[in-house]
Amino acid sequence: MYNQMRGSILGLLLLISPTITARPMHVVIDPGHGGYDTGATRGQLNEAEVVLNISHYLRRLLQGDARFQVSMTRTSQKFVRLSQRAQLANHKEADLFLSIHANASPDSRARGLEVYFQNQLPPDEESMYLANLEHEGHKEDERYSNRDELQGLQIPVSTTPEVKNILKDLIRGHRVRESSLLAQNVVKHWTGSRKSQQHSVLQAPFFVVSNVNMPSVLVEVGFVSNKKEARQLSTASYQKSIARNLYQSLVDFKESMDK
Ligand SMILES: [Zn+2]
C-alpha cells in the first residue's frame, strides 16, 4: 500500500516540482565561523579568514558565469549564527548550499580534503564527534529546526497528512542523493592535497547542512594542524586553486542536473 502510494505521489511530485534547470542555479556559499569564532587556528593562521578568502574567490568565479546566481552567508569577518545561515538559504530558496571549513586534528599528520553531506542514517562515531565540534559555541542554535520539506511547492489543500509525510520522505531522499553527487564531484575535481587515510566523502549531521531545504555539502579544505598544509592554506594561490576546484565541481553538478 505504502509503495503503491509512493509511486503515484512521485508522479505528482514531478508535476509540482519547480524546474530548476531552466534558470541559473542559485548557490549559497557559507564561509564557516567568523568574528570571535575563529575556528581552527595555527599561529597567525585562522580558519575563519582562510575560508572567507576562498569563498570570495569562488563567488567571483560564479558571478562570471551566467549559469549561476550566488549569495554568501557572510562577506566579512563577523559572527553569523548557524541558524541565521540556514534561514538565509531557506528564505532565498537557493538550489545549493556549500559550507566551507578548514580542519584540525590532534594528529599533526592528518591532512587533505574531507567532504560531508547531510544524511538520514545514524552517523558513525567519528562523524558525530566532528559534528559536535562544529556545534561548539552554537548551543542556542540546537533548538532551531524549522525545516519545511514542502516549502515552495504548491500542495493541494486537500492533501492528507499521510500523503504529505510520504512526499517529505521522497523529497528528503532526493536531496540526499543530490548532496551525495555534489560531494563526489568535489572529490573528483580536487587537485589539492588528498586525505592521508580513509575515504574523503562522509556523512554527518552538521547543523548547517542538515537544516537547509536544498542539497548541501560541507567541505573541509585541509588541516591547519598539519604544518605543510597550513603553509599552503595561508597562500592566495592555493586558496584560489581550491576555489577553482570547487567551481569546477559546481559546473559538473549543474551539467548533470540539466541532463
Ligand atoms: Zn569549521
Side-chain angles (χ1 to χ4, degrees):
M1 172 61 187
Y2 182 82
N3 280 338
Q4 204 180 350
M5 213 171 210
R6 271 176 82 101
S8 50
I9 288 169
L10 191 59
L12 172 72
L13 190 63
L14 289 172
L15 281 176
I16 59 180
S17 289
T19 49
I20 62 158
T21 52
R23 56 188 174 83
M25 180 174 274
H26 187 168
V27 180
V28 171
I29 306 172
D30 174 46
H33 311 273
Y36 73 83
D37 174 16
T38 56
T41 57
R42 183 193 180 90
Q44 296 296 311
L45 188 69
N46 77 72
E47 177 185 354
E49 207 174 297
V50 170
V51 299
L52 183 63
N53 290 345
I54 295 169
S55 299
H56 277 304
Y57 293 135
L58 177 59
R59 177 169 72 163
R60 213 172 299 158
L61 291 169
L62 291 170
Q63 280 173 336
D65 187 330
R67 293 171 291 182
F68 294 97
Q69 186 188 340
V70 58
S71 305
M72 279 168 79
T73 54
R74 70 176 174 100
T75 53
S76 65
Q77 279 299 12
K78 65 169 190 216
F79 176 75
V80 180
R81 286 172 52 180
L82 297 180
S83 56
Q84 288 175 293
R85 298 167 193 248
Q87 265 166 339
L88 175 126
N90 290 342
H91 180 73
K92 287 185 179 283
E93 295 183 8
D95 300 310
L96 210 58
F97 188 86
L98 178 64
S99 195
I100 304 178
H101 286 253
N103 238 326
S105 167
D107 179 0
S108 62
R109 292 165 303 176
R111 62 177 163 82
L113 172 74
E114 279 180 353
V115 187
Y116 294 84
F117 65 98
Q118 62 194 356
N119 67 358
Q120 298 171 285
L121 307 166
D124 63 54
E125 281 180 44
E126 190 196 22
S127 297
M128 183 61 106
Y129 168 73
L130 284 161
N132 284 336
L133 274 187
E134 226 31 85
H135 275 169
E136 267 179 27
H138 303 285
K139 294 280 181 250
E140 77 276 23
D141 286 321
E142 284 169 18
R143 281 174 286 130
Y144 168 82
S145 182
N146 77 339
R147 164 183 284 178
D148 180 7
E149 309 284 354
L150 305 180
Q151 184 190 319
L153 296 181
Q154 325 237 295
I155 307 291
V157 200
S158 57
T159 310
T160 65
E162 193 188 6
V163 169
K164 277 187 183 164
N165 282 337
I166 298 173
L167 261 179
K168 286 180 184 178
D169 239 33
L170 286 165
I171 293 170
R172 213 175 297 132
H174 188 64
R175 193 175 52 220
V176 171
R177 278 191 299 280
E178 289 191 351
S179 301
S180 162
L181 174 66
L182 177 62
Q184 288 163 37
N185 281 348
V186 170
V187 174
K188 182 173 144 193
H189 291 282
W190 189 255
T191 59
S193 153
R194 294 266 166 186
K195 196 172 193 303
S196 41
Q197 50 187 322
Q198 300 166 351
H199 57 296
S200 48
V201 175
L202 304 149
Q203 294 193 320
F206 278 116
F207 181 89
V208 276
V209 293
S210 303
N211 280 278
V212 290
N213 293 326
M214 69 254 3
S216 60
V217 297
L218 186 147
V219 181
E220 297 273 9
V221 297
F223 287 78
V224 300
S225 47
N226 181 287
K227 195 176 170 188
K228 189 181 165 210
E229 214 161 53
R231 211 181 305 131
Q232 287 178 311
L233 286 167
S234 66
T235 68
S237 61
Y238 194 71
Q239 292 169 1
K240 281 178 189 166
S241 80
I242 289 175
R244 277 195 300 274
N245 291 167
L246 294 174
Y247 169 68
Q248 277 308 325
S249 57
L250 290 170
V251 169
D252 200 347
F253 179 78
K254 165 89 170 117
E255 280 168 2
S256 38
M257 289 296 107
D258 287 352
K259 267 176 206 158

